[in-house]
Amino acid sequence: LGPMASKVRFPITNDDEANELLVTDPLALLLGMLLDQQVPMEWAFRSPLSVKQRLGDQWSAAGIAAMDPEELVAVFCEKPAVHRYPAAMARRAHAVCVHLVEHYNGDPAKIWFRVTDGHKLYERVSALPGFGEEKAQIFVALLAKRFGKTPTGWEDAAGAFSAPAHA
């Protein structure tokens, strides 16, 4: 997530390796947020590590986007499944990666890199497949509070999730 990532802590999964991946790999963080629905948050954010381990050299937005979506479904469905709804979430993850390739040259960090306006950041996040209003607001708040990505107006863009209680 940038040069400061090594100083960032995001102890969310009860797994040091998964937590480290979330602060060093923007794709992992983005997919963790995508998967954070209808499963415990710890499970959702631990899942990118499982997917990365299963994909090996294909782990990148471009690598995933180049896959047949049903290949990714098989990866998500492998036991233990990475989500309660692995097929649906695999298709969403594939769609996110296709979006990243088409709009950000496959680099998820370009969504927030050098963005100076919170509403622009929100627009970029909410344009991702599977990121509705609330998920986009939560992700904007997460970037600000945990990773120091605080463009002007991020608080308004994050809505209620900018409040200190939502750390």
Side-chain angles (χ1 to χ4, degrees):
L1 296 170
M4 300 299 288
S6 62
K7 293 179 174 51
V8 173
R9 291 197 64 241
F10 190 45
I12 193 168
T13 71
N14 300 317
D15 178 318
D16 291 340
E17 188 178 3
N19 290 339
E20 180 67 18
L21 184 65
L22 293 168
V23 299
T24 59
D25 187 325
L27 181 60
L29 183 66
L30 195 60
L31 292 183
M33 187 71 225
L34 174 72
L35 297 171
D36 186 19
Q37 64 184 57
Q38 300 181 329
V39 296
M41 183 171 44
E42 297 82 5
W43 182 8
F45 281 94
R46 190 174 46 244
S47 291
L49 177 62
S50 298
V51 174
K52 181 180 183 191
Q53 290 169 336
R54 293 173 186 184
L55 287 177
D57 291 344
Q58 283 184 288
W59 172 259
S60 68
I64 293 170
M67 295 175 75
D68 180 296
E70 296 311 304
E71 284 181 77
L72 192 60
V73 166
V75 169
F76 272 56
C77 289
E78 248 178 67
K79 301 291 182 204
V82 299
H83 195 274
R84 181 176 177 188
Y85 301 106
M89 296 312 289
R91 291 182 188 106
R92 281 195 192 148
H94 186 269
V96 164
C97 290
V98 168
H99 182 91
L100 292 171
V101 168
E102 291 175 351
H103 297 276
Y104 299 101
N105 202 25
D107 184 354
K110 288 184 178 179
I111 293 170
W112 54 84
F113 186 68
R114 293 191 179 155
V115 174
T116 58
D117 178 81
H119 292 284
K120 181 68 172 172
L121 176 58
Y122 171 81
E123 286 175 16
R124 288 178 172 194
V125 174
S126 65
L128 293 165
F131 279 73
E133 178 182 1
E134 187 172 288
K135 189 177 290 280
Q137 288 178 328
I138 292 169
F139 196 69
V140 168
L142 174 72
L143 288 171
K145 293 177 179 185
R146 293 289 181 163
F147 297 94
K149 307 299 179 194
T150 55
T152 303
W154 77 267
E155 297 95 336
D156 288 337
F161 300 100
S162 67
H166 291 284

